[in-house]
């Protein structure tokens, strides 16, 4: 009986030794990094988006839906004001603002560009190109004028409760505030409405920062792009693209 028991045990161990590498290999295959094309990263590719009024990649969409349901229990209606924006829509925003500041307000081009990038990105560099980022408000609250104003998310503002709830719960669903109110942070101004789905946006940013962003931006021939000096673009990449919530790096 002891000999038979020994044979059975060694047989099981031997089988495990044979199958273990296959299991490990299968796991590695499942965890293989997704590669995003430069067209995807710059908002020039057609990607699958999900959800009416949501327009996010599948995984981000599903996480948002769960977060939205959870917020209902706190009396908050998570409403997306903006999510996916392709390159050409961002280009339209850029051109409209550039002409407004240079033609209507007679700003010098460099001053106009500095004004634009307080809140708006250079086309091709927006996180909204990825299908992972959202601008949100509380749909239950009534307010007038521009809804994406920081003071409306502060104490006494219509979105005060939304901001508190997101501070406490958003990370549990994979969403993180992008442009925080850290006084040492540079680049885009504080945006208490802008959240990013980290499980996808982090690897996308990692791949994007590995590209020659300066060259890619210069190639777009944007309105005002002749004023994009090497120094300006270096500063933009370091401050506006990379000086964000550390949890998203």
């Amino acid at each position: 009986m002891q000999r038979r028991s020994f044979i059975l045990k060694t047989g099981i161990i031997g089988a495990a030794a044979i199958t273990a590498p296959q299991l490990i290999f299968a796991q590695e295959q499942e965890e293989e990094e997704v590669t995003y094309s430069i067209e995807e990263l710059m908002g020039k590719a057609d990607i699958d988006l999900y959800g009416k009024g949501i327009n996010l990649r599948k995984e981000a969409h599903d996480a948002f839906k769960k977060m939205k349901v959870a917020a209902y229990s706190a009396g908050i209606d998570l409403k997306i004001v903006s999510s996916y924006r392709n390159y050409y829509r961002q280009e339209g925003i850029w051109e409209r603002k550039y002409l407004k500041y240079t033609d209507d307000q007679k700003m010098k081009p460099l001053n106009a560009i500095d004004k634009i990038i307080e809140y708006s990105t250079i086309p091709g560099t927006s996180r909204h190109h990825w299908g992972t980022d959202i601008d949100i408000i509380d749909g239950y609250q009534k307010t007038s004028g521009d809804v994406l104003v920081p003071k409306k998310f502060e104490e006494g503002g219509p979105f005060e409760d939304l901001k508190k709830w997101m501070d406490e719960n958003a990370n549990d669903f994979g969403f993180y505030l992008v442009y925080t109110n850290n006084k040492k942070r540079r680049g885009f101004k504080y945006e208490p409405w802008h959240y990013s789905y980290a499980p996808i946006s982090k690897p996308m940013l990692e791949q994007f920062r590995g590209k020659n962003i300066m060259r890619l931006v210069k190639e777009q021939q944007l309105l005002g792009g002749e004023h994009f000096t090497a120094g300006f673009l270096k500063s933009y990449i370091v401050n506006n693209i990379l000086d964000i919530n550390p949890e998203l790096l």
Side-chain angles (χ1 to χ4, degrees):
M1 292 296 292
Q2 290 179 342
R3 176 178 171 78
R4 179 175 174 77
S5 175
F6 173 76
I7 292 173
L8 285 171
K9 289 179 180 177
T10 53
I12 292 170
I13 294 170
I18 293 171
T19 58
Q22 296 173 337
L23 292 172
I24 292 170
F25 178 75
Q27 185 177 7
E28 288 177 348
Q29 289 287 87
E30 291 175 3
E31 295 177 356
E32 186 176 352
E33 182 183 27
V34 176
T35 300
Y36 300 98
S37 69
I38 190 61
E39 287 77 18
E40 281 183 277
L41 295 171
M42 294 186 70
K44 292 187 173 183
D46 290 329
I47 63 174
D48 292 330
L49 298 169
Y50 294 82
K52 183 179 180 181
I54 298 177
N55 293 323
L56 294 173
R57 290 176 184 266
K58 183 66 165 62
E59 186 182 337
H61 163 272
D62 293 349
F64 175 78
K65 290 284 285 185
K66 291 177 181 177
M67 184 167 68
K68 185 177 177 72
V69 170
Y72 277 137
S73 64
I76 294 168
D77 174 26
L78 294 183
K79 180 180 178 181
I80 293 178
V81 175
S82 182
S83 53
Y84 175 77
R85 291 200 296 268
N86 66 23
Y87 174 90
Y88 305 100
R89 185 178 170 198
Q90 190 68 31
E91 184 179 35
I93 293 171
W94 176 272
E95 291 185 349
R96 174 175 54 81
K97 289 189 174 184
Y98 185 81
L99 291 173
K100 172 186 174 182
Y101 295 138
T102 55
D103 288 357
D104 298 344
Q105 299 185 17
K106 307 302 180 184
M107 284 187 179
K108 293 181 178 179
L110 290 176
N111 293 335
I113 291 169
D114 285 340
K115 182 67 175 176
I116 295 172
I117 63 172
E118 287 181 358
Y119 287 109
S120 295
T121 56
I122 296 174
T125 69
S126 175
R127 298 179 63 91
H128 283 285
H129 293 332
W130 300 345
T132 59
D133 285 45
I134 53 177
D135 295 338
I136 58 169
I137 61 171
D138 182 354
Y140 287 147
Q141 302 300 316
K142 302 300 180 184
T143 185
S144 59
D146 189 353
V147 293
L148 301 184
V149 178
K151 67 179 181 181
K152 292 190 175 182
F153 293 76
E154 297 172 358
E155 185 175 354
F159 307 133
E160 174 187 2
D161 291 340
L162 162 68
K163 181 62 170 59
K164 288 180 180 178
W165 192 90
M166 291 295 288
D167 285 346
E168 295 172 0
N169 299 281
N171 295 175
D172 294 338
F173 297 90
F175 286 91
Y176 289 79
L177 193 68
V178 182
Y179 307 115
T180 67
N181 61 349
N182 184 336
K183 292 181 179 179
K184 294 183 179 180
R185 191 181 61 78
R186 296 157 297 178
F188 294 118
K189 289 189 174 182
Y190 172 48
E191 294 188 355
W193 53 82
H194 187 161
Y195 286 81
S196 182
Y197 184 65
I200 302 178
S201 67
K202 285 180 68 174
M204 292 191 83
L205 176 60
E206 183 178 359
Q207 291 183 33
F208 188 52
R209 67 193 296 183
K211 309 296 182 183
N212 188 337
I213 300 174
M214 289 179 63
R215 178 179 60 79
L216 291 170
V217 171
K218 290 292 285 185
E219 287 177 348
Q220 303 316 306
Q221 298 184 337
L222 293 164
L223 198 62
E226 66 273 19
H227 301 286
F228 293 168
T229 64
F232 166 79
L233 289 173
K234 280 184 180 179
S235 175
Y236 178 81
I237 293 167
V238 171
N239 297 334
N240 296 68
I241 296 178
L242 299 178
D243 199 353
I244 59 176
N245 185 341
E247 296 288 347
L248 291 169
L249 293 172

